[in-house]
Amino acid sequence: MLFLVTLLLCVNFFIAGQCYVHAKRKGYPVKLFLALGLVPYFNLLVWVYLLFLPALEKHQFSSKTTL
């Protein structure tokens, strides 16, 4: 039982770390997505959400060129 709890905690922290990395890479608020990534059962949804969100830098760059 201790092994299962330890494994679940490790997976939870791994997913939270991935949320942090993807949010930082794409330009989204890091603290917000890290906090959402630490919530069990919700973190996998946040991680998948971050994978499909576009990068903010590209969107801001393209909107500046159209002005």
Side-chain angles (χ1 to χ4, degrees), residues 2-62:
L2 180 64
F3 176 72
L4 180 63
V5 171
T6 306
L7 180 67
L8 288 175
L9 281 174
C10 289
V11 169
N12 191 22
F13 287 132
F14 173 75
I15 293 174
Q18 290 298 312
C19 289
Y20 174 82
V21 168
H22 286 287
K24 188 173 183 178
R25 183 181 306 155
K26 292 187 176 189
Y28 289 99
V30 176
K31 291 179 183 178
L32 173 69
F33 281 100
L34 180 62
L36 291 174
L38 286 172
V39 177
Y41 300 113
F42 189 63
N43 57 5
L44 193 58
L45 179 68
V46 172
W47 186 23
V48 171
Y49 184 67
L50 273 171
L51 289 175
F52 290 108
L53 279 175
L56 287 179
E57 293 86 20
K58 292 179 184 177
H59 185 267
Q60 290 174 349
F61 179 71
S62 63

